[in-house]
Amino acid sequence: MQDFAWTALVTLVALLVYFITSMGAGRARYIYKLPAPAITGNEMFERHYRVQMNTLEWLPIFLPALWLFAWVWGDQLAAAIGAFWPLGRIIYMVTYVKDPAKRSLGFATQGLAALALLIGALVGVVQTLLAG
C-alpha cells in the first residue's frame, strides 16, 4: 500500500482553510449585524461570504484531482503541487476582503494548481487504462 501522508496533510490544510473562511463569514455576519438567512446588505459581509463560497466551489475540483494525481504520480509530487492550492486560497481571501479587484494572484495560484492536478490525473489515468 502506498503512503499518502503528504497528500493527506495538504488535504487537511485545504479543509482548515475552508474552515477559516467559514468562520470569517460567520464572524462578519455578527460584526456587520446581518441576520441569517440574509446574504446581501453589507458589502464587507458579502466579501467574506463570497470568499467562503468560492472556496467551497473549488473544493470538489481540487480534492479529487489531488488524490487521483497522488494515486497515479505519487504522494510527494501531488502534495508539492497541491500545496499551492491552499496558499492561493489564503492569498485570495486576504486580497478579496481588502479589495475584490486585487484577487487575481490568489485565484490564479489556486486555479493553476487545481488545473495541473486535474490534467495530470487525467493523463495518468488514461495511460493506465491504455496500458491495460
Side-chain angles (χ1 to χ4, degrees), residues 10-69:
V10 170
T11 298
L12 291 168
V13 170
L15 293 174
L16 181 61
V17 168
Y18 178 64
F19 181 81
I20 290 167
T21 67
S22 298
M23 294 294 102
R27 182 175 173 267
R29 180 178 294 282
Y30 175 78
I31 289 171
Y32 301 112
K33 298 178 181 18
L34 192 66
I39 57 171
T40 61
N42 180 284
E43 183 181 349
M44 289 308 294
F45 167 76
E46 291 170 12
R47 291 179 187 190
H48 286 277
Y49 179 74
R50 280 307 308 149
V51 167
Q52 178 197 6
M53 288 295 101
N54 190 264
T55 303
L56 179 60
E57 292 160 5
W58 275 89
L59 277 171
I61 297 167
F62 170 68
L63 289 176
L66 173 68
W67 282 94
L68 289 168
F69 188 102

Side-chain angles (χ1 to χ4, degrees), residues 25-130:
R27 182 175 173 267
R29 180 178 294 282
Y30 175 78
I31 289 171
Y32 301 112
K33 298 178 181 18
L34 192 66
I39 57 171
T40 61
N42 180 284
E43 183 181 349
M44 289 308 294
F45 167 76
E46 291 170 12
R47 291 179 187 190
H48 286 277
Y49 179 74
R50 280 307 308 149
V51 167
Q52 178 197 6
M53 288 295 101
N54 190 264
T55 303
L56 179 60
E57 292 160 5
W58 275 89
L59 277 171
I61 297 167
F62 170 68
L63 289 176
L66 173 68
W67 282 94
L68 289 168
F69 188 102
W71 174 67
V72 174
W73 301 108
D75 178 54
Q76 292 181 345
L77 183 57
I81 296 169
F84 284 94
W85 192 87
L87 174 64
R89 293 311 311 176
I90 291 167
I91 295 168
Y92 180 88
M93 176 177 57
V94 170
T95 57
Y96 193 96
V97 168
K98 285 183 182 177
D99 180 1
K102 297 189 177 174
R103 70 191 186 278
S104 299
L105 175 62
F107 189 83
T109 301
Q110 65 89 41
L112 289 173
L115 183 62
L117 293 167
L118 188 61
I119 291 171
L122 179 62
V123 167
V125 169
V126 168
Q127 285 179 345
T128 300
L129 289 171
L130 292 176

